Structures are given as structure tokens and as C-alpha cells.
Amino acid sequence: MALTAHQVTLITESFKKVEPISLKAAEIFYDTLFSYDPSLKSLFKGDMKQQGRKLMAMLHAAVSTLNAPEQLLPVLQQLAKRHEGYGVKKSHFTPVGNALLHTLKVGLGDDFTPETRAAWVALLHFVADTMKAEMAA
Ligand code: HEM
């Protein structure tokens, strides 16, 4: 993964600041996502609070294995296969990534520096590229 040690620190430290407000962050995330593309709403069948918790738990797992991407790889590959089953397409990663960056911006305020943003962009590209490689469409 093309992340420097400093970027790993920036991601870990910034995520720690979002975790205490994770329910709120998840709410901002889904509101933003559905404002970008309301048609994505129909893909989500479960309770959105529960879904928000799962998303934050997954991000937590991703962030905590940043120093061992070989552990993250199989997890992301399986996650991608399940997402195919949910009807997710490769093109959906752009609005999802943008909604996540917006959430971090709102949640972190001034702490979301250009350097921290760049680190998150690098991580999101890694996650999205890894997942998309497993998906047919
Ligand atoms: C950034 C990478 C992503 C991560 C880390 C992620 C994480 C998760 C997790 C942890 C779950 C819980 C179920 C499971 O583990 O299989 C889930 C479910 C789901 N995700 Fe994602 N996801 C990502 C990208 C996306 C994208 C691009 C979409 C497209 C809109 C999406 C839509 C969904 C849907 C529809 C479900 C199932 C909801 C239900 O149960 O009704 N995800 N995701």
C-alpha cells in the first residue's frame, strides 16, 4: 500500500477523533451519500443505525491494520464479493469515497488538514482499488 508511516499516523490520529462521534458521523455519511445519488438508497435494506455501526467497525478494522496490509487484503476481497451480492457496482465507490471525505471534513473541522485529507484519499484509493479488482461490474 502506497502510504507513508506519517500518513498512517495522520489517519490513525484523525480517526480517533471521529470515533467518539461515530453514530453522528455515520448519519452525516449516509445523508451526504444519498444527496449525491438518491438511487443508492434502495440498495440498503437493513436498519441504518446498524449499518452505520458496521461501517465504522469496518473502518476501525481497516485503520488498525494499516501497518499490516497483508491482513487487510483478504478481508477487503471478501467484503467486495459480499458487496456484489448487495448490488454494488464499481462506479459506486466514487460517491461513497466523496461522502466519506465530506464526513471527515465536517467531523474534524480544522484538524482535517490538506495533509490528513491526502492520507485518507490514498487509503480510500487502496480500499476501492482492491475491492473493485474483485468485482465484475
Ligand atoms: C469504502 C469501502 C466500503 C467499506 C469499508 C464498506 C463496508 C461495509 C460493511 C462492513 C458492510 C456490512 C456487511 C458486510 O460486512 O458484508 C457493508 C454493507 C453494505 N454496503 Fe458497504 N462498504 C464499502 C463500500 C460500499 C459501496 C461503494 C457501496 C455502494 C453504495 C456500499 C453499499 C453497501 C450495502 C448496500 C450494504 C448492505 C446493506 C444491507 O444490509 O442492506 N458499500 N459495507
Side-chain angles (χ1 to χ4, degrees), residues 15-41:
F15 192 64
K16 268 189 208 153
K17 291 181 196 147
V18 182
E19 276 199 302
I21 55 150
S22 62
L23 269 185
K24 181 75 198 155
E27 196 183 313
I28 297 170
F29 171 77
Y30 288 108
D31 284 351
T32 308
L33 180 63
F34 299 148
S35 77
Y36 292 158
D37 187 345
S39 74
L40 295 179
K41 232 176 189 167

Side-chain angles (χ1 to χ4, degrees), residues 43-46 51 54 58 79 82-83 86 88 92 96:
L43 297 177
F44 294 87
K45 315 282 184 214
Q51 184 61 31
K54 284 184 195 165
M58 181 62 205
L79 188 66
R82 290 200 298 277
H83 277 69
Y86 305 143
V88 172
H92 294 155
V96 165

Side-chain angles (χ1 to χ4, degrees), residues 57-74:
M58 181 62 205
L59 284 174
H60 178 96
V63 169
S64 54
T65 53
L66 282 181
N67 286 313
E70 70 283 357
Q71 286 176 26
L72 188 56
L73 206 66

